[in-house]
Amino acid sequence: QVQLVQSGGGSVQAGGSLRLSCAASGYTDRRYYMGWFRQVSGKEREGVAAISPGGITIHYADSVKGRFIISRDNSENTLYLQMNSLKPEDTAVYYCARASTNGYINRVFDPTQFNVWGQGTQVTVSS
């Protein structure tokens, strides 16, 4: 069974840092784009960061560029999101996700391009 299990997150004051992890299991093919999304209640899920299968190509939403770092360890089948200089507007439920198909995808922040999702973890940033 393909599964993504998230850990990390929590509450922090503005300017602080948090790290999210996403452990994948149930498959051995590492040729999938992976991404982080976030969602605020009542709003659409938005892409935050995405990383190519080999970790060479990385994408960030403008809102997090320069503050968040996405990385992956294919030997451990784990995805990470290091979040620095957090702002109250970063408050959301964060999800990791695996792309529906292996190889290249052209809309890395389109949730419909991803079909395996983590359980979600709350990140709360207070001012």
Side-chain angles (χ1 to χ4, degrees), residues 21 35 61 75 79 100:
S21 300
S75 66
L79 178 73
S100 305

Side-chain angles (χ1 to χ4, degrees), residues 69-121:
I69 300 171
I70 186 173
S71 62
R72 65 192 294 168
D73 183 341
N74 284 341
S75 66
E76 298 290 334
N77 217 5
T78 303
L79 178 73
Y80 302 97
L81 185 68
Q82 176 67 40
M83 303 183 291
N84 302 318
S85 302
L86 282 160
K87 304 176 180 180
E89 50 264 43
D90 294 318
T91 296
V93 177
Y94 283 72
Y95 298 90
C96 61
R98 194 200 77 173
S100 305
T101 60
N102 59 25
Y104 175 78
I105 60 173
N106 59 358
R107 299 191 304 275
V108 297
F109 290 151
D110 179 356
T112 66
Q113 298 292 299
F114 296 78
N115 69 338
V116 183
W117 293 87
Q119 79 276 21
T121 185

Side-chain angles (χ1 to χ4, degrees), residues 5 10-11 20 33-34 38 61 64 66 70 81 92 106 109 114 118 125:
V5 178
S11 298
L20 304 181
Y33 258 86
M34 301 288 293
R38 65 188 182 187
V64 307
I70 186 173
L81 185 68
N106 59 358
F109 290 151
F114 296 78
V125 185

Side-chain angles (χ1 to χ4, degrees), residues 59-73:
H59 311 262
Y60 293 105
D62 288 342
S63 58
V64 307
K65 204 170 292 184
R67 300 187 297 120
F68 289 13
I69 300 171
I70 186 173
S71 62
R72 65 192 294 168
D73 183 341

